[in-house]
Amino acid sequence: IVQPPRFGRLISAFSLVAALGVAVLGLSSGPLASSQPAFSLKLQAFAKGFRQPLDFRSANDGSDRLYVVEKQGIIRLLHGSTPVERPFLDIRSLVGASGSEQGLLGLALDPNYAATGFFFVNYTDRNGDSVVARYQVSSDADVADPASSTIVLFQKQPYANHNGGNLVFGPDSYLYIGFGDGGNGGDPHGNGQSTSTWLGKLLRLDVSALPYGIPADNPFVGTAGALPEIWATGLRNPWRYSFDRLTGDLLIGDVGQDQWEEVDYVAAGSAGGLNFGWNIAEGNHCYRSSSCNLSPFVPAAAEYSHGRGDCAVIGGYVYRGSMYPALNGVYLYGDECSGRMWALTRDAGGAWSTTDLGKQGVSLSSFGEDDSGEMYVTGFDDGTIYRITTS
């Protein structure tokens, strides 16, 4: 594990998985573009001057407010592309960011943010443990109230890496929380396949009232020995995942170990309980074994191997903006180390195709959307937010 965040990875070459069985995932009709895209991608500098940005979110309230999450513990506000000098939130006194995969890692604004002013953050504290907390904006819409913190979840971390950190509200208005397997390498505690820990999981919570409620239809509710917050298992480090704003489908960029990076797909309306295979499987391959039973696991929609300077998948979004019609329905994702990006599409028969869009010259740490569905990436090393365009 090396400098910037590394998000739990090591190196890469490219490969893809074709023909995902429709029956396996219950694919909904046409959530992604149905043919390989024909365009060249360009990144256009949108806003500069940030320090190690890790996340980019919009208010989705009809305003022009955009939020940039910095690793050290600051959330900065943009009005359009213009930065506000005063931080929106500064919790550096709470955040431990010494490790490459530690810091203020994720942000999600309440689906009814315009009315509630609530937002949620995920950070590693000074002891290296994970905290999910809710804050509220102050009477000044450009500044949060730092005294409004309410802890939602606390997760002890056995190691300094694989913290996950992403927070996303689903179409069901529940909060989805991604935790990595706890770190080190190879999941030594078997957390990915254990339902008695939040580590290596995607959680699903009702945060309309705190500390939180358990949705009655969570898949492990009532299962002896299983934690009811769990919605999906078998994840190594789901650094970034997103819901398609049009269809509600979920795509997860799950960072692999020594060989394979993967993107996982879950059709809208899934009941959860899916197992993505870690640490028995890495991508669509047995991990450190010549043979294993892969049949219980959801196969990856796309994967790529290490070898061309790639090391850690950065999950993106399905493009649903209006400025670049060639991108409509295309899922864009990238790699942190190489800055390479790919376009993922699926044909009418359910087979996936990936187009290599080449290296973009940026140390990717996250993707983002604005209110209208236009897409952005955060450049970790150069502190720049880039707008995704085509030519």
Side-chain angles (χ1 to χ4, degrees):
I1 298 179
V2 236
Q3 298 176 176
R6 281 312 160 253
F7 315 125
R9 271 263 57 109
L10 277 108
I11 13 197
S12 171
F14 178 78
S15 166
L16 78 57
V17 175
L20 256 190
V22 172
V24 174
L25 288 181
L27 301 182
S28 56
S29 58
L32 299 181
S34 58
S35 60
Q36 290 195 14
F39 57 80
S40 61
L41 204 67
K42 297 176 69 176
L43 300 184
Q44 181 182 77
F46 178 75
K48 298 182 178 181
F50 302 99
R51 184 182 180 191
Q52 298 181 321
L54 288 181
D55 206 359
F56 178 88
R57 299 297 173 100
S58 70
N60 284 317
D61 61 358
S63 73
D64 64 348
R65 291 184 178 88
L66 300 167
Y67 303 83
V68 179
V69 175
E70 296 182 336
K71 176 176 164 36
Q72 299 300 319
I74 293 178
I75 300 175
R76 299 202 176 272
L77 180 64
L78 297 170
H79 281 292
S81 61
T82 304
V84 175
E85 184 174 351
R86 182 179 178 184
F88 176 72
L89 180 70
D90 185 346
I91 54 171
R92 284 176 292 179
S93 62
L94 303 177
V95 173
S98 59
S100 66
E101 296 177 35
Q102 296 176 326
L104 179 54
L105 304 177
L107 166 68
L109 286 84
D110 188 285
N112 197 23
Y113 179 74
T116 67
F118 292 140
F119 62 95
F120 297 78
V121 296
N122 191 334
Y123 63 88
T124 51
D125 66 15
R126 293 283 174 166
N127 294 318
D129 299 318
S130 291
V131 176
V132 176
R134 188 189 75 182
Y135 285 83
Q136 189 169 24
V137 72
S138 70
S139 56
D140 180 347
D142 286 351
V143 181
D145 177 4
S148 64
S149 174
T150 301
I151 302 299
V152 179
L153 282 184
F154 173 85
Q155 172 62 54
K156 189 75 176 172
Q157 291 288 354
Y159 305 102
N161 56 341
H162 307 182
N163 297 298
N166 203 29
L167 299 174
V168 175
F169 279 96
D172 51 15
S173 295
Y174 293 135
L175 182 63
Y176 289 73
I177 303 170
F179 280 125
D181 64 10
N184 200 349
D187 191 11
H189 303 293
N191 290 326
Q193 293 299 313
S194 170
T195 55
S196 63
T197 176
W198 293 335
L199 296 174
K201 310 297 187 301
L202 196 60
L203 311 183
R204 178 178 182 249
L205 306 182
D206 180 353
V207 292
S208 58
L210 296 188
Y212 60 83
I214 304 292
D217 59 348
N218 269 10
F220 294 99
V221 169
T223 301
L227 298 177
E229 294 88 351
I230 296 172
W231 191 78
T233 66
L235 293 163
R236 182 180 178 276
N237 197 24
W239 169 244
R240 291 293 180 250
Y241 48 88
S242 66
F243 288 92
D244 183 337
R245 61 167 58 197
L246 178 64
T247 67
D249 296 336
L250 172 65
L251 289 118
I252 304 168
D254 189 22
V255 179
Q257 184 65 44
D258 300 322
Q259 289 187 289
W260 297 98
E261 304 298 313
E262 69 184 274
V263 173
D264 297 309
Y265 170 83
V266 182
S270 169
L274 303 174
N275 188 332
F276 295 102
W278 178 252
N279 68 347
I280 297 171
E282 182 186 10
N284 292 319
H285 308 266
C286 296
Y287 176 66
R288 291 184 178 173
S289 173
S290 59
S291 64
C292 65
N293 180 14
L294 296 175
S295 63
F297 309 133
V298 177
E303 61 176 10
Y304 62 94
S305 65
H306 294 184
R308 295 192 300 168
D310 305 315
C311 75
V313 65
I314 308 294
Y317 290 82
V318 177
Y319 179 81
R320 297 298 180 187
S322 59
M323 294 183 67
Y324 307 103
L327 284 174
N328 185 46
V330 174
Y331 177 74
L332 297 175
Y333 65 101
D335 186 87
E336 180 234 340
C337 292
S338 68
R340 192 187 315 279
M341 289 176 59
W342 293 270
L344 179 64
T345 59
R346 197 188 69 211
D347 67 23
W352 297 96
S353 296
T354 303
T355 301
D356 187 343
L357 301 173
K359 295 181 179 181
Q360 304 300 315
V362 174
S363 58
L364 299 175
S365 56
S366 194
F367 287 73
E369 288 182 308
D370 62 20
D371 283 10
S372 61
E374 300 304 325
M375 284 181 60
Y376 303 77
V377 297
T378 55
F380 183 83
D381 287 342
D382 65 9
T384 300
I385 309 302
Y386 294 90
R387 188 173 197 157
I388 293 176
T389 68
T390 65
S391 61

